[in-house]
Amino acid sequence: MKKYLISILLVVTVVLSGCGGAVNVPMSQMEHKGMSSMQGKVTPTEADWTTPKEIKPNQEFPISILIKDKKGKPIPKFDVVHEKLMHMIIVSKDLSYFSHIHPEYKGNGEFDIKTSLPAAGDYNIITEFTPKGSEDNGLQRHWIHVEGVAPAQESIEPDKHMTKVIDGKKVTLSFDHIMAGMDLDMKFTIRDAKTNKPITNLEPYMGAMGHAVAISKDLKEYLHIHPMPSKKQGPDVTFMVYFPKKGVYKIWGQFQYEGKVFVAPFVVKVDM
Ligand SMILES: [Cu+2]
């Protein structure tokens, strides 16, 4: 059972380097608990990022990432994880903007994508990928700046109400308890906002009943969380999550219903 959990549960902690570059320490759930005997070999990586010097709001621009080993040699092969070779999350510094996209693999370690960002300011790009032979995923992060006068930063305050209406769905987030340094059950419950009826026909999205990302207010901690295996398609989708440190985190749950993906964001406070 535990081995199975490792394979389905991707929990990654990131320590940002001081310069805002990408020095990352991927860590699995088991490593947190010191169960290193269960932990496989992780391939350390480096990344070269190429983005335009000037990026303007709402204007498409290219992002190119070259994943290399520690000797600077491009890594040629990657495993498909949740249907993709690379997952990319982009968030604004105040965490008000979130996107989850999938760069295309060009071969010889290079992934490319085009995207646009809605407003001026700083954005953090986080990519996840698994070099072939690595038993845990790698992570690289990069800051970019969008030119112009940045809108006022949104404050990141814990939500008072844990139920929200998003695109006609009523989404509730609950925890069995919410403390750092231990495994928690995090549950999204999804209902029809009009009828209040539980939704029991959520659709698989990238091979799971949902995906969730959590990022700490200071953007240092990054967690990508997958749901516990279940045959149910709602209304409850439960994730096992491990918050490495106390503090305020923003969580985005992503689910698919009637062919469309929706994002449910919540801000929570994790105590010690
Ligand atoms: Cu993805």
Side-chain angles (χ1 to χ4, degrees), residues 81-84 86-89 100-103 128 205-206 211 213 222 224 226 254:
V81 177
H82 284 274
E83 298 179 357
K84 303 288 175 186
M86 177 178 272
H87 297 262
M88 176 181 280
I89 304 290
H100 179 173
I101 51 180
H102 300 100
E128 284 181 64
Y205 171 50
M206 290 187 296
H211 291 260
V213 163
Y222 168 80
H224 186 168
H226 290 118
Q254 287 186 287

Side-chain angles (χ1 to χ4, degrees), residues 66-85:
L66 176 64
I67 306 294
K68 304 182 296 183
D69 64 18
K70 285 288 178 190
K71 287 180 187 145
K73 230 180 102 207
I75 291 175
K77 284 197 169 153
F78 298 85
D79 286 331
V80 172
V81 177
H82 284 274
E83 298 179 357
K84 303 288 175 186
L85 292 173

